[in-house]
Amino acid sequence: MDQKAPSYPASICILRLSAIGDVTHVIPVVLSLQEQIPNVKITWIIGKIEAKLVGDLPGVEFIVFDKKAGRRGYSELRKQMKGRKFDALLHMQVAFRANLAAACIPAKLRIGYDKARSKDLHSLFINRRIKSAPQQHVRDCLASFLEPLGLNAAPPRWQIPLSESDHQFAQVHLAQDRKNLVISPCASHTLRNWTAERYAQLADHAIETHGMNVILVGSPAPFEAEYCASIENSMKHKAHNICGQDTLKQLTALMTHADLVVAPDTGPAHIASAVGTDVLGLFAASNPHRSGPYNSLKWCVNRYPDALRKFTGKTVEEARWGAKAEYEGAMELVTVEEATNTLDRWVASHQG
């Protein structure tokens, strides 16, 4: 007797609202779903800013949830879900706000995190869990949400749609005759930021030693504009400061065509990794093996073990996986010499 073919869900809702880095890690899940279940209908409930980056992925219905709208946001979501029923919900966010959003989504199978990674009553909103994995990168964790569906975990493959005008924007700011180094200095948590003076020294080294074109990027937020201006003003040489002048798509195009990106634990580092550009990551406040640029872990300066030991007295093995070392002075453990040495190594491996 022929074995019955496995029955896969025909409609899947993904709930991952934020942040930019985590949202880039959901792209492989979408691509893998479309490959493994060719006619699957995918709905992705996503944050407002994040939708500007990935909201035009082919074959996906996007529903934007505005977290700043408060109760009105949940009311709108409930209205949009009226009369719908998904075969499966991939509940990929444990924040309490996301759990409340999950309550608005009608789905038979509700896949969420294993017990160790659950919090904020997450367990009440799911009925099946991903398998436990003690020391896992966030990308691999999100990729594993396909396994409870009887599918293979999503391989690390990305696609971010860009327009011709996005690519044209990038070309305007990139040098054609030398290597382009993009510095994205600001994380959403200021305790993950390196100092402006050290970024300036690294940028000067890139220009003096390797003749690189240095481009400073950031959001229009006043803090980021001030940070980039401070780096620029601390430099001996000239940087190309376009902080606040690009959209997320234009930034993605810029990073696609750049040679190298320098960043702490921040969304643009993950965008760069997703488009195949190497990232010189600066880490002390968080663990790059959990949340670093997935394809560039070998180019990360990693002082996280030292920060953890200095500020908590614990080793990486003793601390909870994912524990932060977000303390005043943690990022100062990353020295300019380590960053310039890593840059030198990267350049040496990309000669010719």
Side-chain angles (χ1 to χ4, degrees):
M1 188 189 287
D2 289 339
Q3 277 193 326
K4 195 178 173 187
S7 171
Y8 295 127
S11 61
I12 293 173
C13 181
I14 294 171
L15 175 62
R16 182 75 218 195
L17 303 173
S18 60
I20 290 291
D22 295 316
V23 160
T24 65
H25 296 323
V26 179
I27 296 170
V29 174
V30 169
L31 299 180
S32 188
L33 269 174
Q34 291 172 332
E35 197 173 76
Q36 295 188 66
I37 316 174
N39 297 314
V40 69
K41 288 180 179 167
I42 301 172
T43 298
W44 184 347
I45 297 168
I46 192 169
K48 204 172 176 180
I49 294 169
E50 292 73 17
K52 292 177 181 176
L53 178 67
V54 300
D56 53 353
L57 271 174
V60 182
E61 173 198 21
F62 283 88
I63 294 176
V64 175
F65 179 84
D66 185 1
K67 60 186 179 185
K68 290 181 180 171
R71 285 184 185 175
R72 186 168 52 83
Y74 298 104
S75 175
E76 284 294 318
L77 182 58
R78 212 172 283 112
K79 270 187 216 162
Q80 287 176 287
M81 293 292 112
K82 200 170 179 185
R84 302 182 68 163
K85 181 83 173 174
F86 296 99
D87 292 331
L89 165 67
L90 306 186
H91 185 2
M92 294 178 155
Q93 196 154 352
V94 294
F96 188 64
R97 183 190 288 124
N99 288 331
L100 291 179
C104 304
I105 303 166
K108 203 163 31 179
L109 180 60
R110 308 173 69 83
I111 299 168
Y113 287 90
D114 55 291
K115 283 185 180 175
R117 288 178 279 196
S118 293
K119 62 179 181 180
D120 292 343
L121 306 178
H122 180 76
S123 303
L124 299 179
F125 300 89
I126 61 172
N127 55 25
R128 193 174 297 182
R129 298 179 183 276
I130 60 170
K131 66 185 178 190
S132 177
Q135 297 188 337
Q136 195 174 41
H137 192 283
V138 172
R139 193 224 72 91
D140 295 334
C141 170
L142 296 177
S144 75
F145 268 75
L146 298 188
E147 293 176 328
L149 298 173
L151 302 170
N152 297 322
R157 188 166 61 88
W158 285 266
Q159 174 194 324
I160 300 176
L162 297 171
S163 68
E164 191 51 45
S165 67
D166 294 326
H167 290 293
Q168 285 169 357
F169 173 89
Q171 293 307 327
V172 166
H173 297 287
L174 293 160
Q176 304 305 317
D177 58 344
R178 55 198 189 279
K179 282 189 164 51
N180 290 281
L181 175 70
V182 173
I183 297 180
S184 178
C186 297
S188 54
H189 300 279
T190 55
L191 291 173
R192 294 182 197 169
N193 290 342
W194 212 29
T195 67
E197 293 74 20
R198 293 188 185 190
Y199 276 120
Q201 289 176 57
L202 175 61
D204 280 331
H205 177 82
I207 294 167
E208 286 170 9
T209 310
H210 304 296
M212 296 176 109
N213 177 44
V214 174
I215 304 166
L216 300 173
V217 298
S219 80
F223 170 79
E224 298 203 21
E226 287 165 20
Y227 217 80
C228 285
S230 182
I231 294 169
E232 191 179 15
N233 295 335
S234 300
M235 288 176 62
K236 291 184 284 182
H237 300 281
K238 182 80 181 129
H240 187 43
N241 184 357
I242 60 167
C243 182
Q245 297 173 34
D246 56 347
T247 65
L248 273 173
K249 291 285 197 183
Q250 289 169 339
L251 174 66
T252 303
L254 186 73
M255 290 181 163
T256 300
H257 298 290
D259 296 284
L260 181 67
V261 171
V262 172
D265 187 357
T266 184
H270 299 290
I271 295 174
S273 188
V275 297
T277 300
D278 288 336
V279 181
L280 196 170
L282 305 170
F283 283 78
S286 54
N287 187 349
H289 295 290
R290 180 186 175 273
S291 59
Y294 191 77
N295 293 317
S296 288
L297 298 183
K298 68 177 179 180
W299 301 118
C300 288
V301 178
N302 181 16
R303 296 302 299 270
Y304 171 72
D306 306 286
L308 208 57
R309 196 176 303 111
K310 179 175 180 178
F311 294 102
T312 71
K314 292 181 179 178
T315 64
V316 176
E317 292 71 32
E318 290 167 343
R320 175 183 57 83
W321 183 250
K324 299 285 189 288
E326 291 173 341
Y327 298 93
E328 203 71 56
M331 285 298 290
E332 287 174 26
L333 294 173
V334 176
T335 66
V336 174
E337 187 181 13
E338 286 172 305
T340 55
N341 285 347
T342 304
L343 176 61
D344 294 346
R345 275 197 303 114
W346 181 87
V347 170
S349 72
H350 289 75
Q351 296 289 15

